[in-house]
Amino acid sequence: MSSPPRAGIRLTRRRLLSGAASLGATSLLPAPGPARERIESLGALAADKGLLFGASFAVHELDAPHGSQYAQLYEQEVRLLTSELEFKLSTLRPDARTIDFAPADRLLAFAHAHGLPVRGHTLIWNDALPDWIKAIDPRGAGHLLDTHIDAVMTRYKGGVRYWDVVNEPIAPWDRQPGNLRAGPFHSALGEAYISRSFRAAHAADPAARLVLNEAFTETADEQGETFRRSLLALVRRLAADNTPIDAIGLQCHLAHRYRYDFARFTAFIDELASLGYEIHLTELDVDDRFETGSIAERDRRTADLYARFLAAVLPVRAIKVLSLWQLADHTSWLATTPLKGRGTPKPPPRPLVYDASFQKKLAWHAIADAFRAMPPR
Ligand code: XIL
């Protein structure tokens, strides 16, 4: 379905047409450059169909030599910012006495200056914790959970539209009932830490949209099956308990080395949606670290994986939000996270839609085409 023309496009075109007689025929073509880029942004293409498109954003990138290009890219492409690090317990709570709001304040200031809504990632996660929380006395874990959620959400009330209240509740390898992830909140409170987190979040900011975010649900292998089955069962229990959850977030870190059955994954999304939740695809990227071949071949395979994935899932109208995990290859966690004992990956991974020189890649076009082809929500 083609999207309705936007006012901005009509205006530009009319202006071009009115000047055509004096300027000659070539002036009928829209000029390349920033104005045209804005019209063709992924954020605008998605918005034309009622989908909110965003990406994770890390404030420390603003201090890098490419800081202004980074800022410009987000201004141009996205309609939503997800905090990559700024709201994590590891950033906010370096020790038991401190709450370091400075990075989150900076992210909020950037978002506000550019009129972008924010997804706060994440309030409670039994992973990526500072040592003092890992070692917390179980008798104090519930109090920390309640006061942390209240302090953070109260400070940013009205400024953060979506919260990943609980991240990655499932981890089968921890061998806990329900395949829940082990960790300080879980060991102190059991499964109840999840509904308690959502109730605290709802009390702190009743207007915020609350998300339960999970990884590893996409693959066709046994791990994917286990994650899908366990998450669905957990969501059903939370629904039966009237836990205030608005959306289920599925991270969608795809990788060439995994097997997929996107029809099966789409059926799973449909099942979650039929329980009454919005679906957010929250951290989409494509890991190509173990691919061989030329850059052109790798980029083709990556664009193709994006295309096949999106063609399968985007017909599901319950998907209201889609976020990439960063926009440019060199700022991806895949580029900056060392491989076990081998330093950062070489050659540099190319998981995203812009390259390290901030040039559009094939993957950008694959996503743009998928947005043009999807039904409106
Ligand atoms: C990652 C960040 O991208 C990295 O910079 C950081 O070092 C580790 O965390 N799933 C999540 C995200 O929910 O929080 C993770 O982000 C990526 C996997």
Side-chain angles (χ1 to χ4, degrees):
M1 225 184 110
S2 69
S3 49
R6 293 174 24 146
I9 302 177
R10 276 201 303 269
L11 192 74
T12 309
R13 188 140 175 83
R14 205 180 303 134
R15 217 176 29 221
L16 280 165
L17 285 169
S18 66
S22 55
L23 293 173
T26 49
S27 66
L28 286 171
L29 293 171
R36 188 166 176 242
E37 297 273 299
R38 184 186 301 281
I39 289 163
E40 287 193 329
S41 75
L42 294 180
L45 288 168
D48 282 345
K49 303 292 180 70
L51 177 73
L52 191 54
F53 173 78
S56 74
F57 177 91
V59 287
H60 67 85
E61 297 290 355
L62 296 174
D63 302 326
H66 58 235
S68 60
Q69 282 168 291
Y70 184 80
Q72 236 173 27
L73 186 63
Y74 278 78
E75 199 181 325
Q76 174 185 309
E77 286 290 352
V78 305
R79 299 289 170 98
L80 175 71
L81 285 188
T82 300
S83 59
E84 183 146 336
L85 305 166
E86 296 74 6
F87 283 118
K88 287 176 175 169
L89 284 161
S90 45
T91 304
L92 276 173
R93 309 299 298 255
D95 59 61
R97 283 163 305 281
T98 317
I99 308 188
D100 181 3
F101 287 119
D105 283 355
R106 221 180 142 194
L107 185 137
L108 264 287
F110 180 90
H112 189 69
H114 295 90
L116 295 168
V118 172
R119 292 189 76 251
H121 172 82
T122 175
L123 290 165
I124 297 296
W125 188 8
N126 276 289
D127 198 8
L129 293 167
D131 287 344
W132 72 273
I133 297 183
K134 281 185 206 155
I136 198 166
D137 182 331
R139 286 167 302 179
H143 179 72
L144 172 65
L145 182 149
D146 294 338
T147 52
H148 176 74
I149 291 174
D150 185 61
V152 177
M153 289 187 66
T154 301
R155 182 179 180 90
Y156 299 108
K157 200 170 181 167
V160 174
R161 187 183 293 180
Y162 305 97
W163 282 103
D164 283 340
V165 176
V166 173
N167 195 36
E168 301 188 348
I170 309 292
W173 47 84
D174 284 342
R175 306 193 164 278
Q176 299 297 316
N179 283 326
L180 294 190
R181 183 180 294 271
F185 300 108
H186 176 261
S187 60
L189 304 165
E191 181 167 317
Y193 89 89
I194 301 173
S195 53
R196 183 164 169 168
S197 300
F198 279 95
R199 289 188 209 290
H202 185 62
D205 184 356
R209 311 280 293 162
L210 308 182
V211 186
L212 177 69
N213 198 44
E214 187 51 274
F216 298 119
T217 60
E218 303 84 24
T219 54
D221 55 12
E222 209 185 306
Q223 177 172 284
E225 267 311 318
T226 305
F227 266 85
R228 288 189 289 275
R229 196 182 57 244
S230 308
L231 181 63
L232 207 47
L234 171 63
V235 170
R236 288 206 168 101
R237 292 194 297 277
L238 292 165
D241 186 36
N242 288 321
T243 303
I245 297 177
D246 297 293
I248 308 300
L250 303 170
Q251 292 184 8
C252 302
H253 290 290
L254 306 181
H256 288 295
R257 62 186 182 282
Y258 298 141
R259 243 176 353 99
Y260 294 105
D261 174 351
F262 292 138
R264 174 71 196 89
F265 179 60
T266 303
F268 163 71
I269 298 180
D270 274 329
E271 237 171 312
L272 282 173
S274 74
L275 300 174
Y277 299 101
E278 278 191 10
I279 305 297
H280 298 181
L281 307 184
T282 52
E283 303 183 16
L284 180 61
D285 59 10
V286 173
D287 182 356
D288 73 335
R289 283 174 301 175
F290 306 99
E291 288 298 280
T292 53
S294 67
I295 283 178
E297 282 164 37
R298 286 168 65 164
D299 281 2
R300 253 198 311 279
R301 281 201 290 270
T302 295
D304 181 61
L305 186 50
Y306 273 115
R308 285 186 290 117
F309 173 71
L310 293 175
V313 300
L314 287 180
V316 181
R317 287 183 167 84
I319 299 175
K320 305 292 190 202
V321 174
L322 170 61
S323 285
L324 296 176
W325 206 239
Q326 294 284 328
L327 289 170
D329 291 334
H330 57 312
T331 61
S332 163
W333 67 313
L334 298 169
T336 54
T337 308
L339 290 166
K340 271 195 188 93
R342 281 189 284 158
T344 50
K346 301 266 173 339
R350 302 174 60 84
L352 289 164
V353 291
Y354 279 80
D355 69 15
S357 312
F358 293 100
Q359 298 301 308
K360 262 180 204 167
K361 297 165 58 200
L362 273 184
W364 187 97
H365 294 282
I367 297 178
D369 286 346
F371 288 170
R372 289 187 193 103
M374 77 179 155
R377 300 46 295 267

